[in-house]
Amino acid sequence: MAIKTEMLRCFATVARSGNLADAADKLGRTPSAVSMMLKQLEDHLGAPLFESERKSKLTTLGVYTLDEALRELDHFERTISAIENYARAKSGFVRIAVVPSVAETILPNVVQMFLKDHPQVHIDIRDMDSAAVIREIERERVDLGIASGAGSNTQIVCEELFSDAFGIVCHAEHPLTLRDSPLSWEDLAAWPVIANGLCAQINNGTLQNIIENSKLMVRNTTSLLALVRADVGITVLPRVVVGRTEGNVRFLPVSDPHARRHIDILRRTHTLLSPAAHAFQAMVRIVAGNTQMDGYTRQSGDR
C-alpha cells in the first residue's frame, strides 16, 4: 500500500499533539480511525514510529519521518494554494497588446481596478499599432489585444468595446478651423497631408487617393501629433486619439457618417484564456462600458 498524504498529516498531528485524543479532535476523526491510519503507516514502513501506545515519544524512525512529513506537507499545502490562487485569478500572468489611444485613456483605470482585486497577478502591457496587435495575437505572444481591423480574421475572436469618429486633425491656427460646418474629405486636397496607418480603415476613394499621394507617412501617434503641432501638415485620426491632447492641436469633424474606428478586444480563436486573463478581459469590458469620453459610442450605449 502506498503512503498517502493524509497518512503523513495524521502522523504529524499525533506527533505534535502527543496523544491520540487531541490529534483526533484536530483532524475531525475518531481516535480509533486515527489509530488505524497510524498502524497502516507503521505496517508499510515495517517499524514503529512511537516508543509506546501513548504516542508521547517518537522512535528514531519517527523523528526522521516527522521531519520529512512536515517538509512534504508544507510543499503540498503551498502547491495546493498556488493552484487555487491561479484558478481564482489571484495569481498568474496576463500579456496584453493595446493601441496607444486605449493605453492612454481606458487602460489606466482597467489596471488600477484589476490590481485591487488581483494584486499578485503580473501584467505585461505592449503599446503598438493595430496591425502589430493582431500579429501578436496570431503568434500567441499575448493573451489579449485591444485594437481595430481584425473583424475578418478567422484566427481571432473580436468583441467590440466602442467606436469613435474619424476627423481632420490640424494646428489650432490652421485655416480649416475657421469653417463652421463639418468638413469633407475633398477639403484635405489643398493642404499637405500626413498619412498614417489608421487612414486605411476609412472606405472612401477620395481620401485614399489623397493618402496615396502623400509625401509623408508617420505610424507613431506621438510623432504624428508633434508634426501637426509644428504645422508641418494635417492628418486624419479618431477623436479619442486627440481628445485629451493639450496645446495647439484641433480635431475637426467630417461629414462622412461611416468614418468611424471600431475598437475591439481580441483573443485567439480556440484558445482558452487563463483565469487571470479572463478576469482582465472582464474588467476591460466593465471600464469600457462605464468610461465617459467625448466622441465615441460605447458598446453598452446605443448598440
Side-chain angles (χ1 to χ4, degrees), residues 101 130 147-150 160-168 185 197-204 207-208 236-241 251 253-264 293-303:
S101 58
S130 287
S148 57
E160 185 173 323
L161 292 175
F162 66 88
S163 70
D164 55 336
F166 278 98
I168 297 171
W185 298 125
L198 291 175
C199 297
Q201 297 182 27
I202 303 173
N203 185 20
N204 181 277
L207 174 63
Q208 293 307 319
V236 176
L237 286 170
R239 181 186 291 272
V240 70
V241 175
F251 176 90
V254 294
S255 56
D256 183 354
H258 304 294
R260 299 191 68 86
R261 177 184 65 159
H262 299 274
I263 292 292
D264 304 319
M293 190 184 310
D294 291 339
Y296 80 74
T297 301
R298 292 177 295 156
Q299 181 191 29
S300 58
D302 62 357
R303 295 185 78 246

Side-chain angles (χ1 to χ4, degrees), residues 1-291:
M1 179 184 63
I3 295 177
K4 300 178 182 179
T5 302
E6 194 57 33
M7 286 182 176
L8 296 179
R9 181 177 287 107
C10 176
F11 164 66
T13 305
V14 173
R16 286 176 158 181
S17 301
N19 63 82
L20 286 174
D22 290 343
D25 185 58
K26 292 176 181 177
L27 292 168
R29 293 173 175 263
T30 64
S32 60
V34 173
S35 179
M36 182 180 296
M37 189 169 290
L38 283 178
K39 186 177 185 307
Q40 290 175 339
L41 179 58
E42 289 179 328
D43 288 345
H44 179 83
L45 295 174
L49 296 168
F50 295 92
E51 294 285 359
S52 67
E53 290 299 321
R54 296 182 60 186
K55 313 299 183 188
S56 59
K57 185 178 180 181
L58 293 168
T59 63
T60 303
L61 174 62
V63 172
Y64 178 82
T65 304
L66 179 61
D67 288 341
E68 294 299 320
L70 291 176
R71 185 179 297 110
E72 179 62 28
L73 290 170
D74 179 66
H75 175 73
F76 179 77
E77 294 298 335
R78 285 187 285 108
T79 299
I80 294 300
S81 177
I83 293 172
E84 290 177 344
N85 285 338
Y86 186 89
R88 297 167 184 166
K90 290 184 178 180
S91 66
F93 199 87
V94 180
R95 304 165 302 168
I96 179 167
V98 56
V99 292
S101 58
V102 175
E104 295 174 3
T105 53
I106 292 177
L107 202 60
N109 287 337
V110 173
V111 173
Q112 186 178 47
M113 294 174 65
F114 180 81
L115 288 178
K116 285 182 180 179
D117 296 332
H118 311 276
Q120 301 304 315
V121 174
H122 296 271
I123 304 173
D124 180 359
I125 299 173
R126 309 175 191 187
D127 182 338
M128 55 190 70
D129 63 26
S130 287
V133 171
I134 293 169
R135 286 196 300 271
E136 292 296 281
I137 291 287
E138 289 175 335
R139 297 169 184 175
E140 299 184 82
R141 291 176 177 172
V142 296
D143 305 300
L144 296 169
I146 302 180
S148 57
S152 60
N153 192 321
T154 58
Q155 298 182 57
I156 296 176
V157 177
C158 303
E159 177 186 338
E160 185 173 323
L161 292 175
F162 66 88
S163 70
D164 55 336
F166 278 98
I168 297 171
V169 180
C170 62
H171 189 278
E173 297 182 2
H174 194 280
L176 287 176
T177 62
L178 301 177
R179 296 275 295 272
D180 294 329
S181 58
L183 303 172
S184 67
W185 298 125
E186 286 80 1
D187 292 320
L188 275 70
W191 309 98
V193 174
I194 307 172
N196 66 78
L198 291 175
C199 297
Q201 297 182 27
I202 303 173
N203 185 20
N204 181 277
T206 299
L207 174 63
Q208 293 307 319
N209 286 334
I210 293 173
I211 295 302
E212 288 175 8
N213 292 321
S214 173
K215 300 298 188 295
L216 185 59
M217 164 65 80
V218 180
R219 301 186 183 278
N220 180 276
T221 304
T222 301
S223 300
L224 180 62
L225 291 174
L227 291 171
V228 173
R229 287 191 182 95
D231 205 14
V232 173
I234 62 178
T235 193
V236 176
L237 286 170
R239 181 186 291 272
V240 70
V241 175
V242 294
R244 296 190 178 187
T245 61
E246 298 178 357
N248 51 356
V249 174
R250 290 281 303 277
F251 176 90
L252 307 178
V254 294
S255 56
D256 183 354
H258 304 294
R260 299 191 68 86
R261 177 184 65 159
H262 299 274
I263 292 292
D264 304 319
I265 186 165
L266 316 173
R267 62 178 174 83
R268 188 171 173 83
T269 306
H270 306 310
T271 299
L272 291 177
L273 295 175
S274 69
H278 190 272
F280 193 91
Q281 178 181 245
M283 187 62 70
V284 170
R285 293 193 192 107
I286 292 171
V287 174
N290 293 337
T291 301

